[in-house]
Amino acid sequence: MTAPNKPLNDLMMAQQPIFDANNTLFGYELLFRGQNEDFADFFDGEKATSQVLINLCLGITELNVQLNTPLFINMTGNLLLSDAFFPIDPSQVFVEILEEQEITNDLIQKVAAWHEVGYEFVLDDYQFSRDYDPLLPLVKMVKVDVLATHPTQYKNEIDALLARGIILVAEKVENLEMLALCKKMGFTLFQGYYLQKPSIIKGRKIDSAVQMAVELVSELQNPNISIDKVAKLVEKNPKLSYQLLRILNSPICGIPKKVESIKEAVIFIGLNQIKKWALLITLTSASSQPIEMFRVILTRAHCCQAMCRINGQVNEDTGFIAGIMSGIDAILAMEKQEALDQIAISSTLKGVILNYEGEIGKYLKVIQSLEKNNWDDISNLPQKTKIMLSRCYGEGVLWANSTLTSLQ
């Protein structure tokens, strides 16, 4: 299996900067883009928001947002009310509540709960309706579309918001005159074409295995599910394994931990976070890779794990993840080094995968020699190793076939 060097050409999202009164960058609003770079051509708000989140955390991008720069992300009411609320570190984001959202008691209670654990909220496209009054104690900022809602018509309301300590954001600032007026009236953050238009972020989207995500979500409904059970479910799918490791590696998720196995990843991400990501992945993705590619990789991983188990001196879970990640370049159609740089694995494990270092590296190399029918390398192995390789590879084939059958 070889991976072409696929360029970063997928349309991922757009970003529009938000500036302070000194024209210094404050943060970025992330905007959904479908097939059109110029506007958000979507009908499903939940799917659009989920796609932005998935692309942000799981995609390979040329994103120029600095990780210490706040991100503004639109969130529909349904996502706010669901258990799929995105698992991103609260210190990294401002959650925008959309203007058409119906303000219900359930929504107010949910926003209060998220606010309690540290999330900051913004009322988007605020039109000074009293319906939003119950949310005002819970919001950090209010964004006013000054093109559609001229601020001079709402001076008293603006003064009242400022008296509450709410930060005002002027959006759709189209000219210098409006910028000056908004500053005079007490706005402190500014966004609009006069300052800078949205810029397109290109990258490479990583599809997910929906069937595995659905199975994982279903299993997670069991309140007595164990960490071991979750780890086994995740291990069955190389792409989901990769995605969860990328989540773990992403600073915006707030879990800076290098791991050696899927079980470690599940422990550090946590069952609740796993559930959230599985729900989001299910909303936005579908697997399109040839089944034979997965068969080879799953066989390799199981074989490597079994050889480590027989050895008794090396971690069998590390052997499994080495086998899975050794084929991630073929799954994602990208260079192996580039793929491995995106995920939370130790330098030791990278050495195993890239340079066949250590005992596990030796096992991985002979397994791949067997896959390629490289009999010269196989013939030079000690007889004991040949027997172990033959036995473990056979077990791997049976296990991979069984696993793939269960997913079809």
Side-chain angles (χ1 to χ4, degrees), residues 294-359:
F294 288 94
R295 196 185 310 277
V296 171
I297 294 170
L298 290 173
T299 299
R300 181 190 305 167
H302 190 85
C303 180
C304 192
Q305 180 183 40
M307 293 177 77
C308 291
R309 185 186 306 121
I310 293 172
N311 177 289
Q313 302 300 312
V314 287
N315 188 291
E316 63 180 81
D317 290 335
T318 302
F320 186 91
I321 198 172
I324 291 288
M325 293 303 139
S326 67
I328 204 65
D329 53 332
I331 293 174
L332 300 181
M334 61 190 297
E335 294 295 333
K336 187 173 292 185
Q337 180 72 62
E338 181 185 357
L340 294 178
D341 286 343
Q342 301 292 324
I343 58 178
I345 60 174
S346 65
S347 57
T348 300
L349 190 51
K350 282 186 180 180
V352 170
I353 296 168
L354 294 173
N355 304 312
Y356 302 110
E357 295 174 0
E359 198 69 17

Side-chain angles (χ1 to χ4, degrees), residues 370-396:
L370 183 59
E371 292 171 357
K372 298 172 184 176
N373 296 321
N374 192 338
W375 302 117
D376 288 339
D377 288 347
I378 300 298
S379 64
N380 292 326
L381 294 174
Q383 186 64 21
K384 184 178 179 180
T385 303
K386 290 180 185 178
I387 294 172
M388 179 172 65
L389 174 62
S390 176
R391 171 187 165 188
C392 293
Y393 196 83
E395 290 178 2

